[in-house]
């Protein structure tokens, strides 16, 4: 039960990180390519939240892979596959929702840069979070071991 709770919390955390980063990056993209006075409908927000939920759920195999003892290359392949899936789906959704003009190379490159930045920043945030959790666990273990030595 604890593993399911941790998995659920990790997915919720990833969804919130992805949503926040998408809103930040899309805000910059819209200001640069569409102009700062662009008005968007509420559906834009729901699409971003929906995509964040889907990508958060698709992140579950990567979270579970930590227990699969994958090789370094297996882990790289899994992350590359996840990135390609996200990249292709965001470009396809963005094209169908007219988020960018496919004929404008500068806009297309800017869109791709935003996708890459969201992925990289989300990965860095996840890594920092994991690093902090591991540090706290190590500190707790040192504290427990110190108490055990004093009681002997």
């Amino acid at each position: 039960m604890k593993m399911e709770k941790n998995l659920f919390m990790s997915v919720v955390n990833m969804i919130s990180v992805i949503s926040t980063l998408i809103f930040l990056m899309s805000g910059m993209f819209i200001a640069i390519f569409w102009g700062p006075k662009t008005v968007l409908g509420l559906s834009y927000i729901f699409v971003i939240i929906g995509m964040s939920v889907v990508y958060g759920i698709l992140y579950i195999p990567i979270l579970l892979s930590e227990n699969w003892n994958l090789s370094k290359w297996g882990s790289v392949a899994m992350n590359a596959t996840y990135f390609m899936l996200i990249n292709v789906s965001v470009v396809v959704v963005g094209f169908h929702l007219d988020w960018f003009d496919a004929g404008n190379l500068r806009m297309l490159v800017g869109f791709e840069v935003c996708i890459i930045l969201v992925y990289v920043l989300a990965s860095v945030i996840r890594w920092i979070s994991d690093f902090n959790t591991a540090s706290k666990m190590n500190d707790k273990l040192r504290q427990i071991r110190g108490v055990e030595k004093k009681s002997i």
Side-chain angles (χ1 to χ4, degrees), residues 64-108:
L64 293 175
S65 72
E66 295 169 358
N67 301 326
W68 296 344
N69 297 324
L70 289 177
S71 68
K72 178 182 177 182
W73 292 111
S75 181
V76 167
M78 181 170 270
N79 278 292
T81 302
Y82 179 69
F83 173 73
M84 291 306 295
L85 177 68
I86 288 173
N87 195 351
V88 168
S89 64
V90 170
V91 169
V92 168
V93 169
F95 178 75
H96 286 293
L97 296 177
D98 294 325
W99 289 350
F100 63 91
D101 177 12
N104 184 340
L105 184 62
R106 185 172 167 249
M107 185 181 264
L108 188 59

Side-chain angles (χ1 to χ4, degrees), residues 3-19 51-64 82 126:
M3 184 178 154
E4 289 87 10
K5 181 181 176 189
N6 289 339
L7 180 64
F8 176 76
M9 292 308 295
S10 293
V11 170
V12 168
N13 182 37
M14 201 59 174
I15 290 169
S16 61
V17 166
I18 293 169
S19 295
M51 290 174 73
S52 299
V53 169
V54 169
Y55 300 141
I57 291 169
L58 290 175
Y59 194 71
I60 290 173
I62 292 175
L63 291 171
L64 293 175
Y82 179 69
R126 173 78 183 157

